[in-house]
């Protein structure tokens, strides 16, 4: 009567494509219609995952909670067609993604909620494509076929207190995120030429919070709401 067990299964398929055609000047015709095989490419990216999970939930008078985990198998396959050569990037990822939630009700209108969740994020086709883009000779961009998927853990704290009889309210939110294998751009300078390439880094934290207060203001026969937010970003 107060608890239940949930089972779930899901499957997702994503297909993306990045194409780039580059032409050089044909001195015979005076037009830029001479194909440049080195800088011309097609990149087809397929990303699919299968996720199987379970969750246990309990409902009490004063509190409720839920916890569980998902097992995820993800497969990434990229086909690069550049010049006269084709190459394939193929990777598999396996993750356990835990999740948890707890809510305590102090009164009917005041409660505290704690949430913990995890998720993954795959690199895009353009981030994986290893063919350089030198449309701007001073800012060359190139993908990284060795990129791993991002893994994010999120912790959220939420407190709310509402007094509907006196028209008062208080809301507090606090979010903390940690991301492993975060995909960021790395810049390398050789003289005045900058080469940008995506890489994986660890130790990325993002902390942000919000507070909102509302109370009646009889001088205007209305309500005043005051809110503020702050954030802090850490890269170790």
């Amino acid at each position: 009567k107060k608890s239940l067990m949930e089972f779930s299964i899901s499957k997702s398929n994503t297909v993306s494509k990045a194409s780039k055609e580059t032409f050089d000047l044909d001195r015979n015709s005076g037009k830029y219609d001479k194909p440049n095989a080195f800088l011309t490419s097609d990149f087809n990216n397929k990303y699919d995952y299968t996720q199987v999970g379970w969750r246990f939930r309990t409902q009490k008078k004063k509190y409720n909670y839920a916890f569980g985990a998902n097992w995820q198998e993800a497969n990434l396959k990229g086909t690069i067609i550049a010049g006269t050569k084709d190459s394939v990037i193929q990777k598999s990822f396996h993750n356990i993604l835990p999740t948890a939630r707890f809510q305590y009700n102090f009164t009917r209108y005041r409660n505290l909620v704690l949430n913990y969740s995890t998720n993954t994020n795959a690199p895009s086709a353009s981030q994986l494509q290893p063919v350089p883009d030198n449309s701007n000779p001073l800012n060359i961009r190139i993908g990284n076929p060795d990129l791993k998927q991002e893994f994010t853990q999120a912790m959220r704290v939420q407190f709310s207190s509402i007094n509907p009889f006196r028209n008062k309210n208080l809301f507090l939110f606090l979010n903390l995120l940690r991301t492993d294998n975060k995909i960021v751009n790395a810049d390398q300078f050789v003289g005045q030429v900058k080469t940008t390439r995506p890489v994986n880094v660890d130790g990325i934290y993002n902390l942000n919070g919000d507070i909102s207060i509302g109370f009646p203001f009889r001088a205007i026969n209305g309500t005043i709401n005051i809110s503020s937010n702050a954030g802090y970003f850490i890269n170790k």
Side-chain angles (χ1 to χ4, degrees):
K1 295 182 178 181
K2 297 182 179 180
S3 300
L4 62 87
M5 183 83 75
E6 298 175 341
F7 297 93
S8 63
I9 183 170
S10 62
K11 186 173 179 62
S12 172
N13 293 277
T14 303
V15 178
S16 56
K17 182 177 181 179
S19 299
K20 182 165 68 75
E21 293 183 330
T22 305
F23 298 92
D24 294 332
L25 175 66
D26 188 338
R27 299 189 182 277
N28 295 323
S29 64
K31 298 180 181 180
Y32 285 89
D33 56 5
K34 183 179 179 181
N36 184 323
F38 178 72
L39 296 177
T40 296
S41 66
D42 284 329
F43 186 85
N44 298 318
N45 184 38
K46 295 181 180 180
Y47 180 77
D48 65 83
Y49 70 82
T50 302
Q51 191 164 281
V52 179
W54 67 274
R55 187 171 68 152
F56 180 80
R57 291 197 299 161
T58 294
Q59 178 72 48
K60 299 288 187 178
K61 183 177 180 181
K62 277 287 188 179
Y63 65 90
N64 62 79
Y65 63 86
F67 62 89
N70 293 317
W71 175 83
Q72 184 187 85
E73 179 186 47
N75 296 290
L76 187 151
K77 182 178 180 180
T79 304
I80 307 166
I81 305 172
T84 58
K85 296 182 179 180
D86 296 353
S87 57
V88 177
I89 302 169
Q90 195 160 1
K91 296 181 179 181
S92 295
F93 306 97
H94 298 86
N95 292 290
I96 299 294
L97 305 176
T99 180
R101 184 181 188 275
F102 176 79
Q103 177 175 334
Y104 187 83
N105 301 310
F106 299 96
T107 65
R108 182 180 177 184
Y109 302 106
R110 183 180 301 170
N111 62 68
L112 175 69
V113 180
L114 305 176
N115 267 304
Y116 173 77
S117 62
T118 55
N119 65 77
T120 60
N121 181 43
S124 65
S126 59
Q127 291 173 327
L128 291 167
Q129 190 177 23
V131 179
D133 177 3
N134 67 344
S135 53
N136 182 351
L138 297 179
N139 188 7
I140 301 173
R141 304 184 68 88
I142 185 170
N144 180 3
D146 295 323
L147 286 176
K148 301 176 182 178
Q149 62 177 186
E150 297 179 345
F151 181 82
T152 300
Q153 302 179 72
M155 182 69 186
R156 178 182 176 92
V157 181
Q158 174 184 330
F159 176 79
S160 61
S161 178
I162 303 172
N163 189 331
F165 308 105
R166 296 186 178 182
N167 207 18
K168 294 181 179 180
N169 60 74
L170 170 65
F171 299 100
L172 296 171
F173 301 94
L174 184 65
N175 295 287
L176 174 62
L177 281 79
R178 173 193 165 93
T179 303
D180 293 315
N181 295 324
K182 178 71 175 178
I183 300 174
V184 300
N185 288 328
D187 297 332
Q188 182 179 5
F189 289 87
V190 178
Q192 294 183 339
V193 179
K194 181 179 75 171
T195 301
T196 302
R197 182 172 181 262
V199 296
N200 292 114
V201 296
D202 288 332
I204 304 296
Y205 295 86
N206 196 336
L207 176 66
N208 62 80
D210 297 271
I211 181 172
S212 177
I213 302 173
F215 52 89
F217 192 63
R218 296 181 180 179
I220 59 173
N221 194 26
T223 303
I224 292 180
N225 288 284
I226 301 173
S227 62
S228 180
N229 62 78
Y232 188 63
F233 178 79
I234 304 174
N235 180 4
K236 291 186 176 181

